[in-house]
Amino acid sequence: MKAVFLAGEGYGRPGPSHGDPMASLQLKRVYQAPEASDGTRILVDRLWPRGVTKEKAGIDLWLKDIAPSDALRKRFHGKPQDWNAFCVAYAEELESGAAGAAAAELRERLSEGPLTLLYAARDEAHNNAVALKAWLERGGT
């Protein structure tokens, strides 16, 4: 698993969450300003977002391995009509290998407090962070 820790780790992180862990999971475009309520900010894209500095992004952790494979990303890029097929294929990737290990780390961090999954995609309804959040909320199945 390749987790990349960045400067500013712990940015705005409140104490541990004592409620439903999924209630403390949110999504945000990496281009939006960090807020204290974000908790741990985790970039879930394989590629660094264009035009964003590490300092401005306020990213605590970059989990490259949790992003869809290049083949999967290219297969579905710009095809919102294939959203369901993408979600199924991505869920399969999340169940094994490096993505599975990164997903386990993400679940562990979620148990420690609020998380914000960061993504760069313009389409806020059809991107890997949306699919990842739904997968986590279903219990990773």
Side-chain angles (χ1 to χ4, degrees):
M1 168 177 48
K2 193 177 254 184
V4 179
F5 293 88
L6 301 171
E9 186 171 335
Y11 178 89
R13 184 180 308 161
S17 170
H18 299 291
D20 174 19
M22 291 304 147
S24 61
L25 180 63
Q26 62 179 334
L27 303 176
K28 186 181 268 190
R29 284 194 80 213
V30 71
Y31 302 103
Q32 294 175 278
E35 298 177 44
S37 62
D38 290 346
T40 302
R41 293 170 51 87
I42 301 177
L43 180 62
V44 294
D45 287 347
R46 189 168 302 278
L47 304 174
W48 187 262
R50 288 184 177 165
V52 176
T53 64
K54 291 179 182 178
E55 294 76 28
K56 186 176 180 181
I59 295 171
D60 297 310
L61 176 64
W62 182 11
L63 278 179
K64 292 180 187 182
D65 289 338
I66 206 161
S69 65
D70 285 336
L72 183 61
R73 183 177 55 82
K74 290 174 183 175
R75 183 172 150 204
F76 290 103
H77 181 73
K79 299 178 184 171
Q81 68 275 16
D82 294 339
W83 175 245
N84 290 335
F86 168 79
C87 290
V88 169
Y90 185 35
E92 289 175 7
E93 287 189 356
L94 290 169
E95 295 290 339
S96 63
E105 179 174 352
L106 189 59
R107 281 192 205 97
E108 181 180 322
R109 290 202 174 246
L110 187 57
S111 71
E112 297 170 358
L115 296 183
T116 297
L117 303 180
L118 302 171
Y119 62 93
R122 289 184 186 142
D123 186 341
E124 295 186 18
H126 304 101
N127 63 66
N128 63 297
V130 171
L132 176 58
K133 182 176 187 274
W135 180 80
L136 287 165
E137 289 172 340
R138 287 191 313 270
T141 59

